[in-house]
């Protein structure tokens, strides 16, 4: 897990070069299609990547994006006829999960334009797609996905940047390798001590950092047997924060864009309750935290969110070991999840 996470910056940089023409052509095609909405199809870590795609499409391309539940197509065969000529972004590391394949097939039968974002470009999911976006992560042997997740976020960012022709995002993309290298070198292991004996915790994000907070919470469950739940820093005030008291850990992956609005006040509320707030973000936002994690905040907010999960993977690996777990062999998990 640790080695594969550290390999991601170079792989992401190579991916951007390898996919240049493919993504440019896909962007032109999708602009010409001008769909009324888009949809995503994924499970697990890939579904967190799908939420990242939703954020990008809605804020950069102005395209409403829905999450298409795999069971709607795979079990109920009830994919809406409104999916005709609508892009369905199916995200899967393996491209072999039976329910995803069945749902993608059902959507294509309804006229959806299936876009497969996959690590295995020779997979069944890639075979049935009209547009294939390979993430070029290479073979991933760690059960807990790291490099493939990072490469998927970068591929989605590249696709939406070309689709939307967002000038700032297009300008930022060539900096991806450098930003992720710096993030991989950032030491977040100071958070191991306050999390070593935790039994449950919250992980907060908002805007571009909410999907990576979801991925962080999932990895804490998978690799450290730690019950972590992700919430928006805006939504957490609607009930969940009542569960947090003195000494309870809260990990905050703070956004670098306008989604940071109100964040400092929220962290002050947690600090006043005696919570152990651990945060990465702009200094003025995360000042109330008891532990501030290092990160480069002078980057595009989308790259900043991707960098946060890159840094987090090092913490996740160290925490897993400190809690007596094996991050390379999480119990009850398989590389390809065969949900029906």
């Amino acid at each position: 897990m640790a080695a594969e996470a550290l390999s991601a910056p170079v792989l992401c940089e190579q991916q951007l070069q390898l996919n240049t023409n493919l993504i440019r052509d896909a962007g032109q095609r999708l602009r010409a299609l001008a769909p009324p909405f888009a949809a995503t199809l994924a499970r697990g870590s890939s579904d967190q990547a799908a939420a990242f795609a939703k954020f990008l499409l809605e804020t950069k391309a102005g395209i409403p994006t829905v999450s298409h539940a795999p069971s709607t197509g795979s079990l109920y065969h009830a994919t809406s006829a409104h999916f005709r000529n609508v892009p369905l972004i199916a995200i899967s590391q393996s491209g072999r999960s039976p329910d995803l394949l069945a749902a993608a097939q059902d959507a294509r039968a309804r006229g959806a334009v299936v876009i497969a974002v996959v690590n295995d470009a020779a997979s069944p999911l890639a075979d049935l797609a009209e547009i294939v976006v390979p993430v070029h992560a290479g073979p991933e042997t760690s059960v807990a996905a790291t490099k493939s997740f990072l490469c998927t976020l970068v591929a989605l960012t590249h696709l939406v940047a070309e689709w939307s022709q967002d000038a700032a995002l297009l300008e930022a993309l060539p900096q991806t390798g450098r930003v992720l290298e710096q993030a991989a070198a950032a030491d977040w292991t100071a958070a191991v001590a306050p999390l070593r004996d935790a039994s449950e915790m919250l992980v907060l994000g908002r805007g571009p950092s909410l999907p990576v907070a979801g991925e962080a919470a999932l990895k804490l469950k998978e690799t450290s047997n730690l019950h972590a739940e992700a919430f928006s820093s805006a939504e957490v005030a609607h009930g969940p924060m009542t569960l947090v008291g003195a000494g309870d850990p809260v990990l905050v992956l703070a956004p670098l864009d306008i989604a940071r609005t109100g964040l400092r006040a929220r962290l002050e509320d947690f600090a006043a309750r005696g919570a152990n707030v651990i945060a990465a973000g702009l200094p003025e936002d995360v000042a109330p935290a008891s532990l501030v994690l290092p990160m480069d905040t002078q980057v595009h907010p989308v790259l900043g969110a991707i960098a946060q999960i890159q840094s987090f993977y090092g913490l996740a690996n160290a925490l897993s070991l400190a809690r007596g777990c094996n991050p390379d062999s999480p119990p009850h998990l398989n590389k390809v999840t065969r949900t029906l």
Side-chain angles (χ1 to χ4, degrees):
M1 175 179 169
E4 289 183 345
L6 288 173
S7 72
V10 170
L11 292 170
C12 289
E13 191 168 31
Q14 292 172 348
Q15 176 209 109
L16 288 168
Q17 296 171 358
L18 290 168
N19 284 356
T20 296
N21 293 333
L22 181 156
I23 295 291
R24 184 182 297 120
D25 291 346
Q28 290 174 347
R29 178 178 176 181
L30 292 165
R31 284 198 304 279
L33 186 63
F37 68 97
T40 62
L41 176 68
R43 286 202 190 278
S45 286
S46 293
D47 201 33
Q48 302 301 334
F52 196 74
K54 172 182 171 68
F55 166 80
L56 292 172
L57 283 168
E58 294 187 342
T59 60
K60 307 303 179 187
I63 299 175
T65 304
V66 301
S67 174
H68 182 52
S71 297
T72 301
S74 66
L75 294 181
Y76 295 101
H77 302 290
T79 304
S80 171
H82 293 296
F83 271 52
R84 178 166 298 281
N85 294 324
V86 164
L88 176 71
I89 305 174
I91 305 170
S92 172
Q93 196 279 135
S94 69
R96 285 175 161 75
S97 296
D99 61 337
L100 243 66
L101 290 170
Q105 288 168 340
D106 198 55
R108 179 150 188 182
R110 291 285 189 171
V113 179
V114 177
I115 303 171
V117 181
V118 290
N119 193 27
D120 186 352
S123 64
L125 181 60
D127 288 343
L128 68 84
E130 291 187 50
I131 298 173
V132 179
V133 179
V135 304
H136 296 293
E140 188 171 55
T141 57
S142 173
V143 175
T146 56
K147 66 177 183 177
S148 64
F149 181 77
L150 286 159
C151 287
T152 298
L153 295 190
V154 172
L156 291 166
T157 301
H158 193 184
L159 178 64
V160 175
E162 285 289 352
W163 186 346
S164 66
Q165 289 294 285
D166 184 278
L169 204 51
L170 287 168
E171 184 179 353
L173 274 171
Q175 305 167 34
T176 300
R178 176 190 62 79
V179 170
L180 294 186
E181 286 283 3
Q182 187 171 352
D187 185 1
W188 282 23
T189 56
V192 169
L195 296 179
R196 183 184 291 115
D197 299 320
S199 58
E200 56 187 27
M201 63 181 291
L202 298 183
V203 185
L204 304 185
R206 193 180 183 188
S209 70
L210 180 57
V212 299
E215 165 65 3
L218 180 59
K219 284 295 180 289
L220 289 168
K221 294 185 187 82
E222 289 178 343
T223 63
S224 287
N225 195 29
L226 173 53
H227 183 198
E229 294 296 332
F231 287 94
S232 162
S233 58
E235 292 294 335
V236 75
H238 294 263
M241 69 184 300
T242 62
L243 300 174
V244 178
D248 291 338
V250 179
L251 175 62
V252 182
L253 303 178
L256 302 180
D257 65 358
I258 197 169
R260 53 189 282 266
T261 301
L263 179 62
R264 179 172 180 135
R266 185 74 66 241
L267 299 194
E268 287 173 347
D269 289 344
F270 278 115
R273 294 164 178 261
N276 193 353
V277 179
I278 303 163
L282 288 163
E284 58 267 36
D285 293 336
V286 301
S290 52
L291 174 61
V292 175
L293 301 171
M295 73 168 291
D296 181 4
T297 58
Q298 301 304 307
V299 297
H300 191 288
V302 171
L303 294 189
I306 301 174
Q308 285 175 329
I309 200 65
Q310 173 77 74
S311 297
F312 169 82
Y313 284 143
L315 165 60
N317 190 77
L319 180 62
S320 178
L321 295 171
R323 288 170 66 91
C325 301
N326 182 351
D328 294 330
S329 185
H332 315 302
L333 294 180
N334 296 297
K335 195 62 190 167
V336 179
T337 304
R338 299 195 177 277
T339 310
L340 299 177

